[in-house]
């Protein structure tokens, strides 16, 4: 359970996709010209060919993704307030504020204060179609809050505590009988191989790749779309 945060990223993002209607079966309505739609949006992302080249999605899948995205975000961008509002619908008994903030920043790669459609699709491509290594690197970057290349106990504690807060009374304390700090200590016992007080990307990858539960969770949603 001390490594549950690795899988939580993917599990929760699937919920967001369903809220957007993005995981609904594609229909013939998806045969419209996405480039015309993109040019009409307030924010104009890359064209269809460019997005296909940068992701592991087909043109039809990108069209379906964009249709769901623009239904929720006609401007072509999602701000943090909207992102948090979407997550709050899945955890009405908890406080999603902090976790959604961390996840939002992981998608807002240029720190612009908004997730653009291309940010959304590229991140989604990694989470659903990327290799195990790519997914783990994405997760590490989420945990590395200050982006200095290391995960500290304080950073991991902030992530774990935010998950506790988000889950609310339905899963606490039943699902997590130990305190967040105890989870962090167990996490570092496994991850911090040289006992220097921080976890590097190499330590993170090596530990996760030898953990059967984590490796299984990385494969769960490979074909979700």
């Amino acid at each position: 359970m001390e490594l549950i945060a690795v899988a939580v990223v993917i599990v929760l993002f699937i919920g967001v996709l369903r809220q957007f209607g993005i995981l609904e079966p594609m229909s013939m309505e998806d045969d419209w010209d996405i480039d015309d739609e993109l040019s009409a949006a307030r924010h104009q992302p890359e064209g269809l060919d460019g997005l296909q080249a940068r992701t592991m999605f087909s043109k039809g899948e990108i069209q379906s993704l964009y249709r769901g995205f623009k239904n929720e975000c006609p401007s072509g961008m999602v701000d943090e307030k909207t992102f948090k509002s979407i997550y709050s619908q899945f955890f009405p008994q908890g406080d999603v504020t902090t976790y959604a903030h961390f996840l939002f920043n992981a998608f807002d790669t240029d720190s612009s204060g908004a997730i653009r459609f291309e940010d959304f699709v590229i991140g989604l491509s990694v989470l659903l179609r990327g290799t195990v290594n790519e997914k783990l690197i994405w997760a590490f970057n989420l945990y590395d809050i200050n982006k200095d290349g290391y995960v500290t106990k304080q950073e991991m504690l902030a992530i774990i505590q935010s998950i506790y807060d988000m889950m609310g009374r339905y899963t606490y304390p039943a699902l997590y009988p130990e305190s967040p700090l105890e989870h962090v200590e167990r996490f570092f016992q496994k991850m911090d191989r040289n006992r220097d007080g921080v976890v590097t990307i190499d330590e993170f990858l090596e530990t996760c790749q030898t953990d059967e539960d984590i490796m299984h969770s990385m494969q769960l949603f490979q074909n979700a779309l």
Side-chain angles (χ1 to χ4, degrees):
M1 194 63 73
E2 68 276 4
L3 299 178
I4 190 65
V6 176
V8 163
V9 174
I10 297 178
V11 173
L12 297 184
F13 203 73
I14 294 299
V16 173
L17 296 182
R18 295 194 184 281
Q19 174 65 20
F20 277 146
I22 288 172
L23 294 186
E24 297 301 319
M26 291 177 58
S27 69
M28 294 302 294
E29 294 179 16
D30 289 315
D31 253 344
W32 41 257
D33 189 341
I34 189 175
D35 289 310
D36 289 344
E37 291 278 353
L38 295 179
S39 66
R42 188 182 309 165
H43 166 71
Q44 297 183 14
E46 297 177 28
L48 181 58
D49 289 338
L51 287 173
Q52 184 183 19
R54 296 184 63 188
T55 67
M56 286 162 277
F57 294 128
S58 68
K59 288 184 178 181
E61 288 170 330
I62 294 172
Q63 288 176 326
S64 181
L65 287 166
Y66 187 71
R67 184 180 65 176
F69 190 90
K70 77 183 183 72
N71 283 342
E72 286 288 332
C73 313
S75 69
M77 298 183 289
V78 182
D79 60 23
E80 186 168 345
K81 181 179 179 181
T82 301
F83 194 78
K84 289 178 178 178
S85 176
I86 292 170
Y87 263 88
S88 68
Q89 297 177 46
F90 295 95
F91 301 94
Q93 301 300 321
D95 181 359
V96 305
T97 304
T98 304
Y99 185 84
H101 170 72
F102 292 145
L103 192 55
F104 179 88
N105 286 342
F107 278 91
D108 181 19
T109 55
D110 60 358
S111 301
S112 66
I115 298 174
R116 304 166 299 170
F117 177 64
E118 54 262 50
D119 298 329
F120 178 80
V121 171
I122 291 169
L124 182 61
S125 176
V126 171
L127 290 177
L128 293 185
R129 299 285 172 82
T131 65
V132 169
N133 256 29
E134 288 171 337
K135 293 175 184 177
L136 291 174
I137 290 170
W138 196 96
F140 181 87
N141 289 332
L142 170 69
Y143 308 145
D144 180 15
I145 295 173
N146 67 359
K147 310 307 178 191
D148 65 353
Y150 303 94
V151 175
T152 65
K153 287 186 177 181
Q154 290 76 18
E155 288 174 318
M156 183 53 67
L157 180 59
I159 295 289
I160 296 295
Q161 185 62 62
S162 73
I163 294 173
Y164 269 68
D165 294 342
M166 178 177 59
M167 294 300 187
R169 66 182 180 87
Y170 282 117
T171 54
Y172 177 81
L175 183 58
Y176 297 108
E178 302 170 356
S179 71
L181 183 57
E182 289 173 327
H183 280 297
V184 171
E185 291 297 335
R186 291 178 62 184
F187 182 94
F188 268 75
Q189 285 176 10
K190 281 193 173 184
M191 294 280 185
D192 184 13
R193 299 201 167 205
N194 63 359
R195 300 295 184 258
D196 63 351
V198 297
V199 173
T200 66
I201 183 64
D202 290 337
E203 289 174 321
F204 184 79
L205 291 176
E206 184 177 352
T207 305
C208 289
Q209 288 167 352
T210 57
D211 187 290
E212 291 184 3
D213 292 335
I214 292 177
M215 296 305 288
H216 177 67
S217 72
M218 292 295 101
Q219 302 295 335
L220 284 179
F221 304 105
Q222 190 74 21
N223 298 310
L225 180 67

